[in-house]
């Protein structure tokens, strides 16, 4: 949701008199010319048997003039077509008011730049090779994994993490900080991508599932910066582990290793008042076009295993070439969340960045007031996610600054 969106009005259009509000003054105003009246959402929708909702962003009127066209007499549409006046294609596109309107990618920004990257042949073939390995070993993988999950699941729920050698110290820090605050990690399952990380996680007393065949595409080194090739390879590893656990029927909390717990997050996700959604996501805070319409953070989210979520993550597995091209599974995940929300009715909730319960690197960089409250102890969130960083070194530096770092320097790079 964009800043100030909660203050925006909603324009309601009715196709029949019977769908209009019961209040006669409102229905007459809706039917005839005159001023458009204001009312509550409850009253405006009280006679709607079905309702199509379109979310649009109001652009900066100084930069772009936006029109909205509602076209009747068609098949029911479930996507918003984007039309822009452009010259050029893809990353070479540019807005030109003298050009005719034409259909564009929904990830084309106001300047005309298309942020959607199509996978090249080598990325398609790389993904095909991984999928061939996946299907070759799938039966054995599912049997071995299910045996572990049956032992560690609590209330049919597990914490899922994946790590390579380059970020193994962040896993150590999570385990040390969580235990220092009294949390049990008995239902944490780590999917290491190399033997070093496997030995380290088990040395920390964490359950692991390691498949060399599935993870051999992931380098041991840490990514030098957000979005580089190593980062993209790790992103697919995150999809694989979530898909496998979800498909076996377990609810899961997926989280990156750069996280600190302050309260048990399952207390939130298992509460009665939060039982109405299939998936809960931390708000990334980033409002780039490529993260619309959810801006869901893919480094901390909760998934209930059901037919809707299983279809979603199977689709994610088959979209590995897009993940490699984007070097981000977050972008691809958000695209599929939007599609499956429409297709299967997948219920998705993004926990607002304005909420104080699930802060992240957005707050560290943009909400200094909140961080000061947290340091003083005035705010005690469920967790903190040190995202919005360039690389691992930045994460460690910022976590040390905030008192979230529990490792001594001589422990870094060592097995537990």
């Amino acid at each position: 949701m964009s800043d100030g969106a909660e203050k925006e009005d909603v324009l309601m259009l009715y196709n029949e008199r019977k769908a209009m509000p019961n209040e006669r003054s409102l229905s007459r105003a809706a039917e005839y010319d005159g001023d458009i009246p204001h009312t509550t959402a409850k009253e405006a929708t009280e006679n709607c048997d079905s309702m199509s909702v379109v979310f649009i962003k109001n652009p900066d009127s100084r930069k772009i003039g936006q029109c909205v066209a509602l076209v009747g007499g068609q098949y029911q549409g479930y996507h918003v077509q984007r039309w822009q006046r452009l010259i050029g294609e893809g990353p070479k596109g540019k807005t030109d008011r003298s050009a005719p309107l034409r259909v564009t990618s929904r990830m084309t920004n106001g300047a005309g730049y298309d942020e959607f990257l199509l996978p090249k042949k080598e990325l398609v073939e790389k993904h095909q090779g991984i999928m061939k390995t996946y299907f070759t070993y799938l039966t054995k993988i599912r049997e071995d994994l299910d045996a572990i999950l049956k032992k560690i699941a609590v209330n049919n729920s597990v914490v899922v993490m994946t790590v390579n050698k380059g970020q193994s110290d962040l896993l150590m820090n999570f385990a040390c900080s969580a235990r220092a605050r009294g949390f049990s990690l008995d239902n944490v399952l780590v999917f290491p991508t190399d033997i070093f990380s496997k030995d380290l996680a088990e040395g920390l007393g964490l359950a692991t599932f390691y498949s060399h065949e599935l993870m051999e595409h992931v380098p041991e080194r840490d990514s030098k910066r957000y979005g580089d090739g190593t980062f993209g390879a790790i992103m697919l590893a995150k999809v694989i582990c979530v898909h496998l656990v979800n498909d076996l029927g377990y609810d899961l909390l997926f989280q990156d290793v750069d996280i600190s717990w302050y309260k048990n997050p399952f207390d939130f996700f298992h509460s009665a008042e939060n039982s109405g959604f299939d998936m809960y996501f931390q708000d990334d805070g980033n409002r780039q076009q490529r993260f619309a319409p959810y801006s869901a953070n893919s480094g901390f989210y909760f998934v209930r295993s059901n037919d809707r979520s299983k279809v979603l993550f199977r689709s994610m597995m088959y979209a590995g070439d897009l993940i490699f091209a984007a070097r981000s599974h977050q972008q691809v995940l958000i695209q599929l969340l939007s599609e499956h929300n429409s297709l299967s009715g997948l219920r998705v909730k993004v926990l607002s960045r304005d909420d104080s319960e699930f802060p992240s690197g957005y707050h560290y960089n943009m909400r200094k007031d909140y961080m000061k409250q947290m340091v003083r102890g005035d705010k005690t969130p469920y967790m903190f996610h040190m995202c919005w960083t360039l690389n691992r070194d930045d994460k460690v530096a910022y976590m040390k600054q905030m008192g979230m770092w529990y490792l001594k320097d001589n422990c870094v790079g060592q097995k537990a």
Side-chain angles (χ1 to χ4, degrees):
M1 186 167 67
S2 300
D3 293 335
E6 69 278 1
K7 300 177 183 178
E8 295 284 346
D9 291 334
V10 175
L11 177 64
M12 296 290 297
L13 303 176
Y14 303 94
N15 74 324
E16 296 280 354
R17 285 185 179 180
K18 64 182 181 181
M20 296 178 184
N22 293 327
E23 172 59 44
R24 185 59 181 155
S25 61
L26 293 175
S27 62
R28 284 183 61 85
E31 190 173 2
Y32 300 105
D33 293 339
D35 293 336
I36 299 176
H38 282 75
T39 187
T40 64
K42 182 178 180 180
E43 190 169 32
T45 60
E46 62 185 344
N47 292 322
C48 297
D49 297 321
S50 68
M51 181 169 64
S52 297
V53 179
V54 179
F55 295 94
I56 57 173
K57 180 180 180 180
N58 293 327
D60 187 340
S61 59
R62 295 169 298 179
K63 298 179 179 179
I64 187 170
Q66 176 171 275
C67 304
V68 178
L70 300 179
V71 183
Q74 310 292 316
Y75 271 127
Q76 179 68 44
Y78 295 100
H79 293 85
V80 176
Q81 278 193 1
R82 293 284 307 283
W83 292 63
Q84 288 181 249
R85 299 185 186 275
L86 298 178
I87 55 174
E89 296 284 346
K92 297 182 179 180
K94 182 179 179 181
T95 299
D96 187 330
R97 301 200 72 175
S98 66
L101 283 168
R102 60 183 173 90
V103 175
T104 63
S105 161
R106 69 188 187 203
M107 292 173 63
T108 303
N109 62 26
Y113 178 85
D114 187 354
E115 296 180 342
F116 183 71
L117 300 176
L118 293 166
K120 303 299 184 184
K121 180 181 178 181
E122 60 270 20
L123 297 181
V124 174
E125 291 176 348
K126 178 181 178 180
H127 178 240
Q128 288 172 345
I130 293 171
M131 292 305 298
K132 180 180 179 180
T133 301
Y134 166 78
F135 285 116
T136 298
Y137 294 96
L138 181 58
T139 300
K140 183 67 164 58
I141 287 172
R142 286 174 57 90
E143 291 174 355
D144 294 346
L145 177 58
D146 195 34
I148 298 172
L149 291 167
K150 286 177 178 176
K151 293 178 182 178
I152 69 169
V154 177
N155 296 325
N156 198 51
S157 299
V158 294
V159 179
V160 172
M161 307 174 75
T162 187
V163 67
N164 70 346
K165 182 179 180 180
Q167 294 205 334
S168 58
D169 56 336
L170 291 169
L171 175 66
M172 293 177 67
N173 186 70
F174 165 72
C176 292
S177 64
R179 288 191 172 122
R181 295 189 177 102
F183 295 113
S184 170
L185 301 180
D186 291 345
N187 68 333
V188 173
L189 179 60
V190 179
F191 285 74
T193 64
D194 50 69
I195 292 296
F196 179 94
S197 301
K198 176 180 182 295
D199 292 343
L200 182 141
E202 291 174 355
L204 291 169
L206 303 175
T208 68
F209 180 82
Y210 175 66
S211 169
H212 170 74
E213 292 80 11
L214 276 183
M215 297 299 184
E216 63 178 344
H217 71 280
V218 182
E220 286 190 354
R221 64 184 182 275
D222 63 305
S223 57
K224 299 303 180 185
R225 59 182 295 117
Y226 172 87
D228 67 12
T230 299
F231 187 90
I234 295 173
M235 294 306 101
L236 184 59
K238 294 180 179 184
V239 174
I240 291 171
C241 62
V242 169
H243 159 65
L244 288 170
V245 174
N246 168 260
D247 206 54
L248 284 169
Y250 295 88
D251 299 340
L252 66 94
L253 170 63
F254 176 82
Q255 65 170 52
D256 286 343
V257 290
D258 56 346
I259 280 177
S260 298
W261 284 1
Y262 294 90
K263 295 186 288 188
N264 189 337
F266 284 113
D267 290 344
F268 178 90
F269 298 120
H270 285 165
S271 63
E273 60 267 31
N274 293 316
S275 62
F277 290 88
D278 300 317
M279 304 180 70
Y280 282 90
F281 285 86
Q282 182 182 47
D283 188 338
D284 186 84
N286 192 326
R287 296 299 186 256
Q288 285 181 273
Q289 189 77 25
R290 66 195 184 106
F291 294 146
Y294 286 112
S295 190
N297 188 294
S298 55
F300 185 87
Y301 58 93
F302 179 76
V303 184
R304 302 187 202 282
S305 181
N306 55 40
D307 289 341
R308 292 183 295 272
S309 61
K310 289 178 182 180
V311 170
L312 169 72
F313 284 106
R314 281 198 295 272
S315 299
M316 279 291 289
M317 278 293 295
Y318 304 149
D321 53 346
L322 291 175
I323 295 172
F324 289 142
R327 296 180 179 179
S328 166
H329 81 303
Q330 179 180 5
Q331 175 181 316
V332 178
L333 176 58
I334 291 171
Q335 293 162 11
L336 290 175
L337 286 174
S338 179
E339 175 63 21
H340 285 260
N341 169 256
S342 171
L343 184 64
S344 70
L346 182 75
R347 296 188 290 268
V348 180
K349 175 70 174 178
V350 177
L351 302 163
S352 172
R353 66 185 183 183
D354 297 326
D355 187 356
S356 61
E357 299 282 23
F358 297 93
S360 69
Y362 162 79
H363 296 78
Y364 181 89
N365 287 280
M366 307 297 292
R367 290 285 308 278
K368 304 299 183 184
D369 57 327
Y370 179 88
M371 299 308 297
K372 291 177 180 178
Q373 291 176 317
M374 191 173 163
V375 170
R376 290 195 303 265
D378 298 335
K379 297 284 188 182
T380 305
Y382 277 95
M383 48 70 73
F384 190 93
H385 182 192
M386 193 56 80
C387 54
W388 275 47
T389 55
L390 180 65
N391 52 33
R392 171 205 160 276
D393 292 343
D394 282 357
K395 294 179 187 295
V396 174
Y398 299 161
M399 293 176 91
K400 285 181 177 179
Q401 182 183 10
M402 295 303 301
M404 299 175 184
W405 194 251
Y406 279 66
L407 297 187
K408 297 180 178 179
D409 289 343
N410 61 353
C411 295
V412 176
Q414 304 297 318
K415 294 183 179 180

